Amino acid sequence: RRKATAIAVLLFALKVSFFFGKMRFLLPVVLLVVCTFSTVHAQVSPDDLSALEDIYNSLGGPNWTNNTNWLQGDPCDNLWYGVQCSMPSYLVSYLFLHQNNLVGTIPPSINNLTRLVTLEVSNNSISGTMPELTNNITALNFYLSNNKLSGSLPSFIPSSIKSIDFSSNSFTGTIPDYSLNTFQVVDFSSNSLTGSIPSFFASSTFLVDLDLSNNQLSGSVPSFPLNGAESGYRLQVLDLSHNLLSGNLPVLKASKLYYLDLSSNKFYSIVLYMYSNLVALQHLDLSNNELDGFYMNFN
């Protein structure tokens, strides 16, 4: 709108100058238009800018491996390192700060990045607890693996998030009820999570990759899929190794499953188990359990 106004002013000035035949009328107007054009471009929203500044200050920005252009001008126009914006809305959509010496805690204002698609801050030294997330976030991908995060997993994860990686941190406690989420990829491996495996994982028709390995999860494992309805079930990777799981091996009717690792648990005596429906299976590891005899029938 401001751009259109500036053009209209310039056209009017040209008409006036032509009528009077004197260019001196045009010069000040041209200067006005030039100044107007220098300020008409959009800028990142105040909420996005504030959130980025908080991230920089909370995570040791001055000592980052690469902090090119941070806190200088507009994040979108001035190409702050790791920041990508959606155009023409000038909203932050991607934040890539993988292995960039981030040290400190994640500020709650991360929720202000309402159009964030991907957050990639893996392989850093981010510590403390995760701030509570809100539905303000519409992100699809959250990658925070190989950090020093501790405490409980967030009690709420926005339903927009499809891929989440909290692996190789120090999270404790049980896995919250994320039954309303439609995760496709979940990696909570290499933490200190306890309790049982929530049944919502086994009933999700969206889940493709589930890795809960290297925790302290216990109890039996639900059938995959839980409701017995294989139609539309997309699970391809299931890694529950290196936990304290016990009981019979889980019933698996996931025809797309190609990677299955249940090793280093406490699964015991199996008389007859038929996994013949796992037609896509390429990797199977049942080692280091307490099985005293079992029969696997593969077609």
Side-chain angles (χ1 to χ4, degrees), residues 175-203:
I175 299 174
D177 182 4
Y178 297 138
S179 57
L180 297 180
N181 291 79
T182 54
F183 296 126
Q184 295 176 3
V185 177
V186 175
D187 191 345
F188 292 160
S189 64
S190 300
N191 281 282
S192 297
L193 299 174
T194 56
S196 59
I197 295 176
S199 60
F200 66 81
F201 282 134
S203 59

PDB file of all heavy atoms in Angstrom, residues 175-203:
ATOM      1  N   ILE A 175       6.673 -41.273  29.806  1.00  0.00           N
ATOM      2  CA  ILE A 175       6.278 -40.624  28.554  1.00  0.00           C
ATOM      3  C   ILE A 175       4.841 -40.127  28.702  1.00  0.00           C
ATOM      4  O   ILE A 175       3.940 -40.910  29.002  1.00  0.00           O
ATOM      5  CB  ILE A 175       6.376 -41.609  27.374  1.00  0.00           C
ATOM      6  CG1 ILE A 175       7.824 -42.087  27.219  1.00  0.00           C
ATOM      7  CG2 ILE A 175       5.890 -40.949  26.083  1.00  0.00           C
ATOM      8  CD1 ILE A 175       8.001 -43.177  26.176  1.00  0.00           C
ATOM      9  N   PRO A 176       4.609 -38.839  28.528  1.00  0.00           N
ATOM     10  CA  PRO A 176       3.247 -38.290  28.698  1.00  0.00           C
ATOM     11  C   PRO A 176       2.261 -38.846  27.670  1.00  0.00           C
ATOM     12  O   PRO A 176       2.646 -39.510  26.711  1.00  0.00           O
ATOM     13  CB  PRO A 176       3.460 -36.780  28.508  1.00  0.00           C
ATOM     14  CG  PRO A 176       4.911 -36.556  28.741  1.00  0.00           C
ATOM     15  CD  PRO A 176       5.593 -37.790  28.252  1.00  0.00           C
ATOM     16  N   ASP A 177       1.014 -38.548  27.887  1.00  0.00           N
ATOM     17  CA  ASP A 177      -0.048 -38.977  26.982  1.00  0.00           C
ATOM     18  C   ASP A 177      -0.088 -38.045  25.778  1.00  0.00           C
ATOM     19  O   ASP A 177      -0.583 -36.927  25.852  1.00  0.00           O
ATOM     20  CB  ASP A 177      -1.397 -38.961  27.711  1.00  0.00           C
ATOM     21  CG  ASP A 177      -2.534 -39.435  26.823  1.00  0.00           C
ATOM     22  OD1 ASP A 177      -2.258 -39.848  25.679  1.00  0.00           O
ATOM     23  OD2 ASP A 177      -3.694 -39.385  27.256  1.00  0.00           O
ATOM     24  N   TYR A 178       0.454 -38.521  24.679  1.00  0.00           N
ATOM     25  CA  TYR A 178       0.434 -37.756  23.438  1.00  0.00           C
ATOM     26  C   TYR A 178      -0.571 -38.364  22.458  1.00  0.00           C
ATOM     27  O   TYR A 178      -0.365 -38.346  21.243  1.00  0.00           O
ATOM     28  CB  TYR A 178       1.824 -37.750  22.789  1.00  0.00           C
ATOM     29  CG  TYR A 178       2.911 -37.080  23.602  1.00  0.00           C
ATOM     30  CD1 TYR A 178       4.180 -37.654  23.695  1.00  0.00           C
ATOM     31  CD2 TYR A 178       2.686 -35.885  24.272  1.00  0.00           C
ATOM     32  CE1 TYR A 178       5.190 -37.041  24.423  1.00  0.00           C
ATOM     33  CE2 TYR A 178       3.688 -35.260  25.007  1.00  0.00           C
ATOM     34  CZ  TYR A 178       4.946 -35.850  25.077  1.00  0.00           C
ATOM     35  OH  TYR A 178       5.954 -35.239  25.799  1.00  0.00           O
ATOM     36  N   SER A 179      -1.651 -38.903  22.977  1.00  0.00           N
ATOM     37  CA  SER A 179      -2.599 -39.642  22.145  1.00  0.00           C
ATOM     38  C   SER A 179      -3.292 -38.767  21.106  1.00  0.00           C
ATOM     39  O   SER A 179      -3.825 -39.276  20.113  1.00  0.00           O
ATOM     40  CB  SER A 179      -3.651 -40.343  23.007  1.00  0.00           C
ATOM     41  OG  SER A 179      -4.337 -39.399  23.821  1.00  0.00           O
ATOM     42  N   LEU A 180      -3.309 -37.458  21.308  1.00  0.00           N
ATOM     43  CA  LEU A 180      -3.950 -36.570  20.341  1.00  0.00           C
ATOM     44  C   LEU A 180      -3.007 -36.163  19.218  1.00  0.00           C
ATOM     45  O   LEU A 180      -3.422 -35.497  18.272  1.00  0.00           O
ATOM     46  CB  LEU A 180      -4.483 -35.315  21.051  1.00  0.00           C
ATOM     47  CG  LEU A 180      -5.576 -35.551  22.095  1.00  0.00           C
ATOM     48  CD1 LEU A 180      -6.004 -34.224  22.715  1.00  0.00           C
ATOM     49  CD2 LEU A 180      -6.776 -36.275  21.484  1.00  0.00           C
ATOM     50  N   ASN A 181      -1.738 -36.549  19.342  1.00  0.00           N
ATOM     51  CA  ASN A 181      -0.762 -36.188  18.324  1.00  0.00           C
ATOM     52  C   ASN A 181      -0.772 -37.188  17.171  1.00  0.00           C
ATOM     53  O   ASN A 181      -1.175 -38.345  17.331  1.00  0.00           O
ATOM     54  CB  ASN A 181       0.641 -36.104  18.928  1.00  0.00           C
ATOM     55  CG  ASN A 181       0.794 -34.932  19.881  1.00  0.00           C
ATOM     56  OD1 ASN A 181       0.362 -35.002  21.023  1.00  0.00           O
ATOM     57  ND2 ASN A 181       1.405 -33.861  19.427  1.00  0.00           N
ATOM     58  N   THR A 182      -0.310 -36.732  16.045  1.00  0.00           N
ATOM     59  CA  THR A 182      -0.217 -37.596  14.866  1.00  0.00           C
ATOM     60  C   THR A 182       1.235 -37.679  14.406  1.00  0.00           C
ATOM     61  O   THR A 182       1.584 -37.352  13.275  1.00  0.00           O
ATOM     62  CB  THR A 182      -1.108 -37.060  13.731  1.00  0.00           C
ATOM     63  OG1 THR A 182      -0.770 -35.684  13.463  1.00  0.00           O
ATOM     64  CG2 THR A 182      -2.579 -37.154  14.100  1.00  0.00           C
ATOM     65  N   PHE A 183       2.093 -38.103  15.331  1.00  0.00           N
ATOM     66  CA  PHE A 183       3.515 -38.223  15.025  1.00  0.00           C
ATOM     67  C   PHE A 183       3.750 -39.185  13.872  1.00  0.00           C
ATOM     68  O   PHE A 183       3.080 -40.216  13.747  1.00  0.00           O
ATOM     69  CB  PHE A 183       4.289 -38.751  16.237  1.00  0.00           C
ATOM     70  CG  PHE A 183       4.277 -37.851  17.441  1.00  0.00           C
ATOM     71  CD1 PHE A 183       3.871 -38.335  18.680  1.00  0.00           C
ATOM     72  CD2 PHE A 183       4.692 -36.536  17.353  1.00  0.00           C
ATOM     73  CE1 PHE A 183       3.879 -37.530  19.796  1.00  0.00           C
ATOM     74  CE2 PHE A 183       4.695 -35.714  18.458  1.00  0.00           C
ATOM     75  CZ  PHE A 183       4.288 -36.213  19.689  1.00  0.00           C
ATOM     76  N   GLN A 184       4.758 -38.881  13.080  1.00  0.00           N
ATOM     77  CA  GLN A 184       5.249 -39.813  12.066  1.00  0.00           C
ATOM     78  C   GLN A 184       6.596 -40.399  12.484  1.00  0.00           C
ATOM     79  O   GLN A 184       6.857 -41.578  12.224  1.00  0.00           O
ATOM     80  CB  GLN A 184       5.367 -39.108  10.714  1.00  0.00           C
ATOM     81  CG  GLN A 184       4.026 -38.661  10.149  1.00  0.00           C
ATOM     82  CD  GLN A 184       4.165 -37.891   8.858  1.00  0.00           C
ATOM     83  OE1 GLN A 184       5.262 -37.716   8.321  1.00  0.00           O
ATOM     84  NE2 GLN A 184       3.047 -37.402   8.338  1.00  0.00           N
ATOM     85  N   VAL A 185       7.425 -39.579  13.099  1.00  0.00           N
ATOM     86  CA  VAL A 185       8.735 -40.028  13.572  1.00  0.00           C
ATOM     87  C   VAL A 185       8.915 -39.574  15.011  1.00  0.00           C
ATOM     88  O   VAL A 185       8.766 -38.384  15.316  1.00  0.00           O
ATOM     89  CB  VAL A 185       9.876 -39.452  12.700  1.00  0.00           C
ATOM     90  CG1 VAL A 185      11.232 -39.874  13.250  1.00  0.00           C
ATOM     91  CG2 VAL A 185       9.730 -39.902  11.252  1.00  0.00           C
ATOM     92  N   VAL A 186       9.229 -40.516  15.913  1.00  0.00           N
ATOM     93  CA  VAL A 186       9.484 -40.214  17.320  1.00  0.00           C
ATOM     94  C   VAL A 186      10.783 -40.884  17.725  1.00  0.00           C
ATOM     95  O   VAL A 186      10.938 -42.102  17.578  1.00  0.00           O
ATOM     96  CB  VAL A 186       8.344 -40.713  18.233  1.00  0.00           C
ATOM     97  CG1 VAL A 186       8.710 -40.493  19.703  1.00  0.00           C
ATOM     98  CG2 VAL A 186       7.038 -40.009  17.903  1.00  0.00           C
ATOM     99  N   ASP A 187      11.720 -40.089  18.241  1.00  0.00           N
ATOM    100  CA  ASP A 187      12.981 -40.635  18.744  1.00  0.00           C
ATOM    101  C   ASP A 187      13.233 -40.069  20.136  1.00  0.00           C
ATOM    102  O   ASP A 187      13.635 -38.917  20.285  1.00  0.00           O
ATOM    103  CB  ASP A 187      14.130 -40.284  17.802  1.00  0.00           C
ATOM    104  CG  ASP A 187      15.409 -41.055  18.140  1.00  0.00           C
ATOM    105  OD1 ASP A 187      15.481 -41.627  19.245  1.00  0.00           O
ATOM    106  OD2 ASP A 187      16.331 -41.079  17.307  1.00  0.00           O
ATOM    107  N   PHE A 188      12.963 -40.892  21.155  1.00  0.00           N
ATOM    108  CA  PHE A 188      13.239 -40.540  22.544  1.00  0.00           C
ATOM    109  C   PHE A 188      14.369 -41.419  23.091  1.00  0.00           C
ATOM    110  O   PHE A 188      14.506 -41.580  24.302  1.00  0.00           O
ATOM    111  CB  PHE A 188      11.992 -40.749  23.414  1.00  0.00           C
ATOM    112  CG  PHE A 188      10.857 -39.794  23.120  1.00  0.00           C
ATOM    113  CD1 PHE A 188       9.559 -40.108  23.512  1.00  0.00           C
ATOM    114  CD2 PHE A 188      11.064 -38.595  22.462  1.00  0.00           C
ATOM    115  CE1 PHE A 188       8.507 -39.239  23.261  1.00  0.00           C
ATOM    116  CE2 PHE A 188      10.019 -37.721  22.204  1.00  0.00           C
ATOM    117  CZ  PHE A 188       8.733 -38.043  22.603  1.00  0.00           C
ATOM    118  N   SER A 189      15.162 -41.975  22.233  1.00  0.00           N
ATOM    119  CA  SER A 189      16.191 -42.924  22.649  1.00  0.00           C
ATOM    120  C   SER A 189      17.304 -42.255  23.457  1.00  0.00           C
ATOM    121  O   SER A 189      17.494 -41.038  23.404  1.00  0.00           O
ATOM    122  CB  SER A 189      16.797 -43.611  21.425  1.00  0.00           C
ATOM    123  OG  SER A 189      17.471 -42.675  20.601  1.00  0.00           O
ATOM    124  N   SER A 190      18.014 -43.100  24.204  1.00  0.00           N
ATOM    125  CA  SER A 190      19.194 -42.663  24.955  1.00  0.00           C
ATOM    126  C   SER A 190      18.880 -41.526  25.916  1.00  0.00           C
ATOM    127  O   SER A 190      19.524 -40.473  25.914  1.00  0.00           O
ATOM    128  CB  SER A 190      20.332 -42.262  24.004  1.00  0.00           C
ATOM    129  OG  SER A 190      20.715 -43.349  23.198  1.00  0.00           O
ATOM    130  N   ASN A 191      17.858 -41.764  26.739  1.00  0.00           N
ATOM    131  CA  ASN A 191      17.541 -40.888  27.855  1.00  0.00           C
ATOM    132  C   ASN A 191      17.439 -41.764  29.103  1.00  0.00           C
ATOM    133  O   ASN A 191      18.056 -42.838  29.152  1.00  0.00           O
ATOM    134  CB  ASN A 191      16.238 -40.139  27.584  1.00  0.00           C
ATOM    135  CG  ASN A 191      16.427 -38.965  26.637  1.00  0.00           C
ATOM    136  OD1 ASN A 191      16.904 -37.912  27.025  1.00  0.00           O
ATOM    137  ND2 ASN A 191      16.030 -39.136  25.369  1.00  0.00           N
ATOM    138  N   SER A 192      16.714 -41.342  30.099  1.00  0.00           N
ATOM    139  CA  SER A 192      16.516 -42.142  31.314  1.00  0.00           C
ATOM    140  C   SER A 192      15.026 -42.252  31.613  1.00  0.00           C
ATOM    141  O   SER A 192      14.593 -42.113  32.761  1.00  0.00           O
ATOM    142  CB  SER A 192      17.264 -41.508  32.494  1.00  0.00           C
ATOM    143  OG  SER A 192      18.660 -41.488  32.262  1.00  0.00           O
ATOM    144  N   LEU A 193      14.239 -42.497  30.582  1.00  0.00           N
ATOM    145  CA  LEU A 193      12.795 -42.584  30.728  1.00  0.00           C
ATOM    146  C   LEU A 193      12.396 -43.892  31.394  1.00  0.00           C
ATOM    147  O   LEU A 193      13.003 -44.940  31.154  1.00  0.00           O
ATOM    148  CB  LEU A 193      12.133 -42.461  29.362  1.00  0.00           C
ATOM    149  CG  LEU A 193      12.390 -41.152  28.610  1.00  0.00           C
ATOM    150  CD1 LEU A 193      11.811 -41.214  27.204  1.00  0.00           C
ATOM    151  CD2 LEU A 193      11.812 -39.964  29.382  1.00  0.00           C
ATOM    152  N   THR A 194      11.364 -43.827  32.230  1.00  0.00           N
ATOM    153  CA  THR A 194      10.891 -44.995  32.969  1.00  0.00           C
ATOM    154  C   THR A 194       9.406 -45.227  32.678  1.00  0.00           C
ATOM    155  O   THR A 194       8.784 -44.485  31.929  1.00  0.00           O
ATOM    156  CB  THR A 194      11.105 -44.804  34.476  1.00  0.00           C
ATOM    157  OG1 THR A 194      10.450 -43.589  34.886  1.00  0.00           O
ATOM    158  CG2 THR A 194      12.589 -44.704  34.813  1.00  0.00           C
ATOM    159  N   GLY A 195       8.863 -46.267  33.314  1.00  0.00           N
ATOM    160  CA  GLY A 195       7.450 -46.575  33.122  1.00  0.00           C
ATOM    161  C   GLY A 195       7.243 -47.463  31.906  1.00  0.00           C
ATOM    162  O   GLY A 195       8.196 -47.990  31.322  1.00  0.00           O
ATOM    163  N   SER A 196       6.006 -47.619  31.516  1.00  0.00           N
ATOM    164  CA  SER A 196       5.667 -48.506  30.405  1.00  0.00           C
ATOM    165  C   SER A 196       5.567 -47.732  29.100  1.00  0.00           C
ATOM    166  O   SER A 196       5.541 -46.497  29.081  1.00  0.00           O
ATOM    167  CB  SER A 196       4.350 -49.216  30.706  1.00  0.00           C
ATOM    168  OG  SER A 196       3.314 -48.260  30.889  1.00  0.00           O
ATOM    169  N   ILE A 197       5.482 -48.488  28.014  1.00  0.00           N
ATOM    170  CA  ILE A 197       5.314 -47.877  26.694  1.00  0.00           C
ATOM    171  C   ILE A 197       3.838 -47.541  26.505  1.00  0.00           C
ATOM    172  O   ILE A 197       2.981 -48.431  26.553  1.00  0.00           O
ATOM    173  CB  ILE A 197       5.785 -48.829  25.585  1.00  0.00           C
ATOM    174  CG1 ILE A 197       7.289 -49.070  25.721  1.00  0.00           C
ATOM    175  CG2 ILE A 197       5.463 -48.255  24.209  1.00  0.00           C
ATOM    176  CD1 ILE A 197       7.835 -50.073  24.731  1.00  0.00           C
ATOM    177  N   PRO A 198       3.502 -46.287  26.317  1.00  0.00           N
ATOM    178  CA  PRO A 198       2.086 -45.899  26.176  1.00  0.00           C
ATOM    179  C   PRO A 198       1.434 -46.582  24.977  1.00  0.00           C
ATOM    180  O   PRO A 198       2.046 -46.737  23.921  1.00  0.00           O
ATOM    181  CB  PRO A 198       2.151 -44.386  25.976  1.00  0.00           C
ATOM    182  CG  PRO A 198       3.482 -43.975  26.520  1.00  0.00           C
ATOM    183  CD  PRO A 198       4.400 -45.120  26.254  1.00  0.00           C
ATOM    184  N   SER A 199       0.193 -46.968  25.146  1.00  0.00           N
ATOM    185  CA  SER A 199      -0.499 -47.714  24.095  1.00  0.00           C
ATOM    186  C   SER A 199      -0.802 -46.867  22.870  1.00  0.00           C
ATOM    187  O   SER A 199      -1.025 -47.413  21.781  1.00  0.00           O
ATOM    188  CB  SER A 199      -1.795 -48.302  24.653  1.00  0.00           C
ATOM    189  OG  SER A 199      -2.651 -47.265  25.121  1.00  0.00           O
ATOM    190  N   PHE A 200      -0.792 -45.531  23.008  1.00  0.00           N
ATOM    191  CA  PHE A 200      -1.161 -44.714  21.857  1.00  0.00           C
ATOM    192  C   PHE A 200      -0.162 -44.876  20.720  1.00  0.00           C
ATOM    193  O   PHE A 200      -0.498 -44.700  19.546  1.00  0.00           O
ATOM    194  CB  PHE A 200      -1.326 -43.235  22.238  1.00  0.00           C
ATOM    195  CG  PHE A 200      -0.057 -42.549  22.682  1.00  0.00           C
ATOM    196  CD1 PHE A 200       0.868 -42.073  21.773  1.00  0.00           C
ATOM    197  CD2 PHE A 200       0.199 -42.366  24.037  1.00  0.00           C
ATOM    198  CE1 PHE A 200       2.024 -41.435  22.188  1.00  0.00           C
ATOM    199  CE2 PHE A 200       1.357 -41.732  24.462  1.00  0.00           C
ATOM    200  CZ  PHE A 200       2.269 -41.271  23.538  1.00  0.00           C
ATOM    201  N   PHE A 201       1.104 -45.223  21.059  1.00  0.00           N
ATOM    202  CA  PHE A 201       2.081 -45.462  19.997  1.00  0.00           C
ATOM    203  C   PHE A 201       1.630 -46.629  19.112  1.00  0.00           C
ATOM    204  O   PHE A 201       1.795 -46.607  17.899  1.00  0.00           O
ATOM    205  CB  PHE A 201       3.455 -45.787  20.591  1.00  0.00           C
ATOM    206  CG  PHE A 201       4.211 -44.588  21.085  1.00  0.00           C
ATOM    207  CD1 PHE A 201       4.833 -44.617  22.329  1.00  0.00           C
ATOM    208  CD2 PHE A 201       4.322 -43.434  20.328  1.00  0.00           C
ATOM    209  CE1 PHE A 201       5.552 -43.519  22.795  1.00  0.00           C
ATOM    210  CE2 PHE A 201       5.029 -42.333  20.781  1.00  0.00           C
ATOM    211  CZ  PHE A 201       5.644 -42.376  22.028  1.00  0.00           C
ATOM    212  N   ALA A 202       1.090 -47.667  19.754  1.00  0.00           N
ATOM    213  CA  ALA A 202       0.718 -48.878  19.029  1.00  0.00           C
ATOM    214  C   ALA A 202      -0.568 -48.717  18.226  1.00  0.00           C
ATOM    215  O   ALA A 202      -0.838 -49.508  17.316  1.00  0.00           O
ATOM    216  CB  ALA A 202       0.572 -50.047  20.011  1.00  0.00           C
ATOM    217  N   SER A 203      -1.365 -47.729  18.554  1.00  0.00           N
ATOM    218  CA  SER A 203      -2.642 -47.547  17.854  1.00  0.00           C
ATOM    219  C   SER A 203      -2.584 -46.476  16.777  1.00  0.00           C
ATOM    220  O   SER A 203      -3.549 -46.284  16.039  1.00  0.00           O
ATOM    221  CB  SER A 203      -3.749 -47.205  18.857  1.00  0.00           C
ATOM    222  OG  SER A 203      -3.437 -46.017  19.560  1.00  0.00           O
TER     223      SER A 203
END
